[in-house]
Amino acid sequence: MSASTTVPGAAPGYAESSIRVLKGLEPVKQRPGMYTRTDNPLHIVQEVIDNAADEALAGFGRRIRVTLHADGSVSVEDDGRGIPHGLHPEEGAPVLELVFTRLHAGGKFDKGQGGAYSFSGGLHGVGVSVTNALASRLEVTSHREGHVARLVFAGGDVVEPLVRRPLEAGERRQGTTVRVWPDARYFDQVTLPLGELTHLLRSKAVLMPGVTVTLVNERTRETQTWQYKGGLSDYLQQTLAAEPLIPLFEGEGYAEAGHESFAEGEGAAWAVAFTEEGPLVRESYVNLIPTPAGGTHDSGLREGLFQAVRSFIELHALCPKGVKLLPEDVFARASYVLSARVLDPQFQGQIKERLNSRDALRLVSAYVRPALELWLHQHVEHGKRLAELVIRAAQSRQKAAQKVEKRKGSGVAVLPGKLTDCESRDLSRNELFLVEGDSAGGSAKMGRDKASQAVLPLRGKLLNTWEVERDRLFANAEIHDIAVAIGVDPHGPDDAVDLSGLRYGKICILSDADVDGSHIQVLLLTLFFRHFPRLIEAGHVYVARPPLYRVDVPARGKKPASKHYALDEGELAAILDKCAKEGVPREKCQISRFKGLGEMSAEQLWDTTLNPDTRRLQPVTLGGLDAAATAARLNRLMGKAEAAARRELMEQWGDAVEVDV
């Protein structure tokens, strides 16, 4: 006789055996969208190309060859050092196998001395293992140390074990070849976008002068080869559609050993052109990885350009009275190619489209600003032509803002008394922060940019508006104040809405990084989705992400004491690792945990959450579900009659959530 133990209130069939632990590459196959783009396989091929480029960046390779085979597979060949194929000292398995079958296994964790790479785009160690997981077949051949090794996978599993033999006469001495057959089950279409691939390969050649990059298409029997000896400026000059107003501004700067702020080798190379018309060219890279969504290195370039141009204009007294210059005035007609080197880059997401490393802003700006100031003082006539362009942009912007102010100034609504408004009436610049609590609101008011940032503090928990009739919304004082401050009336998804009264281009939810803060965030998102859907549709609603930790690093040698902020545990670990590599033990780093926004000073809140150049601001969109499916999901979470459904959700997923109370 056997007895079974049932947990009171547990769902039928929910027991210890119901919990599934994903092993090996299973997480990638279950949720490929968390690791790569699923519209086409370009990104999983790019991971292999990036590895070849990292070898060239480290000075060990001069050639990269990509072949599009007639059977739909893609091969990437380099002449780098070759992936090691001996046994791993701790894992007891061939390193070549571990690289392609283990998440978070790679040679790019230990940056600086002792690591395989000083600078690389790879950080998480999941790149080519994701490629392998989402490929129906993958073959890798590594030439190294007088031997060649070959290994074959199918669906991420080894199907032909590693075979290692001595090199024969005439064989290449070193390098890696990876051939991938993308699995059509994981992608909307299995064909690579040829235009994007061509642009990617050409950019690699641009960023690595002297390295030859070749693309072979077996189907069309075409071969393209790129090698740029002129670097970024030649590439930008060839790509521009219009003639530059002044000669291209190009330069580079890298930190030397013992630099007080940056690691040896960190820095940037750039080429900037200013045009009066035509489409702009804006490309940025971090350790040769393209960042199409920009990031803090782009912000550093913008900051450096702005400070240098403003300094030149002030020195020569060129600015008319009443004209206030802003960074976007300088940047409005700037085309650029930027290549940054960052020791430990922090990217937004695995596909690395945006750089989030806070130090990159200071890094790029520190080299761009003095270089441009010197160039402008050496070429005064070119500087004056650029100043005219910038001043015209500022005057046009101010005229547009004045028109908006006249149109909106006749409104009869009285703004809420607790709203601390901004000075500007330029919709494209204005931001409203809905801040949890009066203490955090006070810090936000003191730390904000009063020209363009407004603050509306909220007291306590907001009303759950999911089932509130629209004509009853204004009975709640908090919701009334939000609607009046925004300047848009509540509406439904099919209503004709007048957005001309909108007072802020960005409406930002700012709450504590704890359970109560998350609750307030959900209540506000419910309000906007249910009663202000056009604001979400038009891209006006955002969620600010304040950091959880502050790390105080003591002075070491010539380097002064510094402060670093981490969004989560992962970033905290990365900061501590970087400090350890710079000779500061973890025990000497003081770690502070922010329990709420009220603990932050005005300066800290500005640096981490309000400053447009360094903050994390997440746009609110529908995501993977359409409006109807999103409404059904929110109804399950917020509807009064859905308590049973919520309980089922908690029983199913409660153990997967880490709650910080």
Side-chain angles (χ1 to χ4, degrees):
M1 181 179 292
S2 63
S4 62
T5 302
T6 303
V7 179
Y14 178 66
E16 287 80 2
S17 60
S18 304
I19 303 302
R20 182 181 173 195
V21 179
L22 299 178
K23 298 180 180 179
L25 299 179
E26 285 186 55
V28 184
K29 298 177 184 180
Q30 288 279 341
R31 297 286 186 271
M34 290 177 63
Y35 296 87
T36 187
R37 289 169 46 184
T38 55
D39 50 345
N40 63 66
L42 177 62
H43 181 249
I44 68 168
V45 174
Q46 182 183 327
E47 291 285 1
V48 185
I49 296 171
D50 288 343
N51 284 355
D54 284 337
E55 281 293 291
L57 180 63
F60 296 101
R62 307 301 296 169
R63 295 190 306 276
I64 300 173
R65 181 184 181 90
V66 178
T67 304
L68 304 178
H69 297 284
D71 62 357
S73 64
V74 185
S75 63
V76 180
E77 178 183 339
D78 67 59
D79 60 343
R81 289 168 288 187
I83 301 174
H85 31 73
L87 293 179
H88 191 277
E90 296 173 3
E91 299 292 333
V95 171
L96 188 61
E97 180 181 330
L98 292 175
V99 167
F100 285 87
T101 58
R102 296 277 185 93
L103 294 175
H104 309 292
K108 300 169 188 175
F109 294 106
D110 298 322
K111 306 293 175 68
Q113 292 187 356
Y117 299 87
S118 292
F119 295 91
S120 71
L123 176 68
H124 309 100
V126 302
V128 288
S129 54
V130 170
T131 306
N132 190 22
L134 304 181
S136 58
R137 181 179 174 88
L138 185 145
E139 299 174 356
V140 55
T141 307
S142 173
H143 296 74
R144 177 184 175 90
E145 297 175 347
H147 287 78
V148 57
R150 184 174 184 271
L151 192 56
V152 181
F153 307 88
D157 300 320
V158 176
V159 291
E160 294 183 25
L162 185 140
V163 176
R164 188 168 181 263
R165 61 171 175 80
L167 289 171
E168 298 176 357
E171 273 193 290
R172 60 192 177 112
R173 309 302 299 172
Q174 64 180 45
T176 304
T177 302
V178 179
R179 186 168 179 176
V180 184
W181 284 259
D183 194 329
R185 292 179 299 170
Y186 299 110
F187 303 98
D188 298 338
Q189 62 174 27
V190 79
T191 307
L192 289 177
L194 196 57
E196 288 185 49
L197 176 63
T198 301
H199 183 270
L200 172 69
L201 294 176
R202 185 175 67 164
S203 68
K204 297 293 187 190
V206 170
L207 298 170
M208 298 183 293
V211 174
T212 302
V213 181
T214 303
L215 174 62
V216 179
N217 191 331
E218 288 186 350
R219 290 180 177 175
T220 61
R221 297 183 179 179
E222 293 179 342
T223 299
Q224 293 176 276
T225 300
W226 299 274
Q227 185 187 53
Y228 289 87
K229 294 182 179 178
L232 305 184
S233 59
D234 282 356
Y235 173 63
L236 182 59
Q237 187 76 56
Q238 292 176 28
T239 313
L240 283 173
E243 192 66 25
L245 177 71
I246 60 175
L248 266 65
F249 163 60
E250 61 176 315
E252 63 179 18
Y254 300 100
E256 298 180 352
H259 193 283
E260 62 180 16
S261 299
F262 308 117
E264 181 181 0
E266 284 192 309
W270 61 84
V272 183
F274 295 92
T275 55
E276 294 186 276
E277 56 186 17
L280 299 174
V281 177
R282 292 182 173 178
E283 297 182 16
S284 61
Y285 304 82
V286 176
N287 302 348
L288 307 191
I289 302 293
T291 46
T296 47
H297 54 323
D298 289 58
S299 298
L301 178 67
R302 182 180 69 171
E303 178 71 11
L305 293 177
F306 171 64
Q307 295 294 348
V309 172
R310 184 175 67 174
S311 172
F312 176 83
I313 289 174
E314 290 175 351
L315 179 68
H316 292 273
L318 299 174
C319 194
K321 187 177 180 180
V323 175
K324 181 181 179 181
L325 299 179
L326 295 175
E328 54 259 41
D329 301 326
V330 177
F331 220 52
R333 294 304 310 169
S335 292
Y336 63 86
V337 182
L338 171 66
S339 177
R341 285 189 188 176
V342 180
L343 187 64
D344 276 312
Q346 301 291 323
F347 291 100
Q348 180 176 302
Q350 168 57 21
I351 59 175
K352 307 184 182 99
E353 288 192 331
R354 178 179 174 81
L355 181 71
N356 279 344
S357 302
R358 296 185 189 278
D359 289 343
L361 188 150
R362 291 189 303 109
L363 173 70
V364 177
S365 177
Y367 287 109
V368 170
R369 178 180 179 176
L372 181 56
E373 285 181 342
L374 178 61
W375 189 88
L376 290 172
H377 293 316
Q378 290 175 338
H379 305 85
V380 176
E381 289 306 313
H382 294 322
K384 289 183 176 179
R385 293 189 67 189
L386 176 58
E388 290 175 8
L389 179 71
V390 170
I391 291 167
R392 284 202 306 270
Q395 290 171 330
S396 299
R397 173 182 50 77
Q398 288 181 329
K399 285 180 182 178
Q402 288 169 358
K403 291 178 183 176
V404 172
E405 186 174 13
K406 289 176 183 176
R407 189 172 72 243
K408 293 181 178 179
S410 59
V412 294
V414 178
L415 294 176
K418 59 184 178 179
L419 170 70
T420 303
D421 208 359
C422 54
E423 298 170 353
S424 168
R425 292 295 175 265
D426 183 352
L427 188 66
S428 65
R429 294 182 58 220
N430 289 0
E431 302 174 343
L432 172 65
F433 285 86
L434 304 175
V435 184
E436 171 191 354
D438 288 337
S439 59
S443 294
K445 289 174 186 176
M446 290 187 289
R448 71 192 174 110
D449 176 2
K450 64 180 182 179
S452 60
Q453 293 178 331
V455 175
L456 180 63
L458 305 175
R459 294 175 184 171
K461 295 285 176 67
L462 200 71
L463 177 70
N464 179 2
T465 58
W466 184 251
E467 295 175 353
V468 177
E469 295 295 330
R470 200 151 290 133
D471 56 2
R472 296 287 303 158
L473 282 175
F474 284 162
N476 181 276
E478 298 289 333
I479 296 172
H480 173 272
D481 289 350
I482 291 172
V484 172
I486 291 171
V488 175
D489 290 334
H491 55 269
D494 300 322
D495 295 347
V497 185
D498 181 12
L499 295 182
S500 64
L502 183 65
R503 304 181 65 248
Y504 307 97
K506 288 187 174 70
I507 301 159
C508 311
I509 300 169
L510 177 54
S511 60
D512 292 346
D514 58 13
V515 173
D516 286 338
S518 297
H519 190 194
I520 291 171
Q521 189 182 112
V522 169
L523 290 169
L524 282 167
L525 290 173
T526 301
L527 171 68
F528 286 116
F529 178 77
R530 190 67 161 176
H531 299 292
F532 297 90
R534 292 296 176 85
L535 295 180
I536 293 178
E537 185 181 313
H540 292 298
V541 183
Y542 294 78
V543 173
R545 303 188 66 193
L548 277 173
Y549 300 99
R550 187 186 83 189
V551 182
D552 291 290
V553 182
R556 60 275 190 208
K558 295 182 179 179
K559 295 188 177 181
S562 59
K563 292 182 177 64
H564 303 269
Y565 297 95
L567 191 66
D568 51 29
E569 296 278 356
E571 288 192 5
L572 176 63
I575 290 170
L576 294 175
D577 285 345
K578 185 174 183 180
C579 291
K581 287 163 196 154
E582 293 178 352
V584 183
R586 295 192 178 203
E587 57 271 15
K588 289 192 177 181
C589 297
Q590 184 178 350
I591 302 171
S592 305
R593 168 72 164 81
F594 292 114
K595 293 181 180 178
L597 295 170
E599 289 190 353
M600 288 190 184
S601 66
E603 182 183 2
Q604 289 172 338
L605 200 57
W606 167 256
D607 287 341
T608 63
T609 316
L610 300 177
N611 186 344
D613 290 328
T614 56
R615 68 191 180 189
R616 314 285 180 88
L617 202 59
Q618 187 173 354
V620 176
T621 61
L622 289 182
L625 302 177
D626 60 17
T630 302
R633 180 71 59 83
L634 271 171
N635 184 59
R636 191 178 185 187
L637 295 172
M638 308 302 291
K640 292 179 181 177
E642 297 294 329
R646 286 193 287 274
R647 176 175 176 172
E648 182 183 338
L649 275 176
M650 287 187 284
E651 289 173 343
Q652 183 178 0
W653 300 107
D655 61 327
V657 178
E658 292 184 14
V659 179
D660 184 0
V661 294

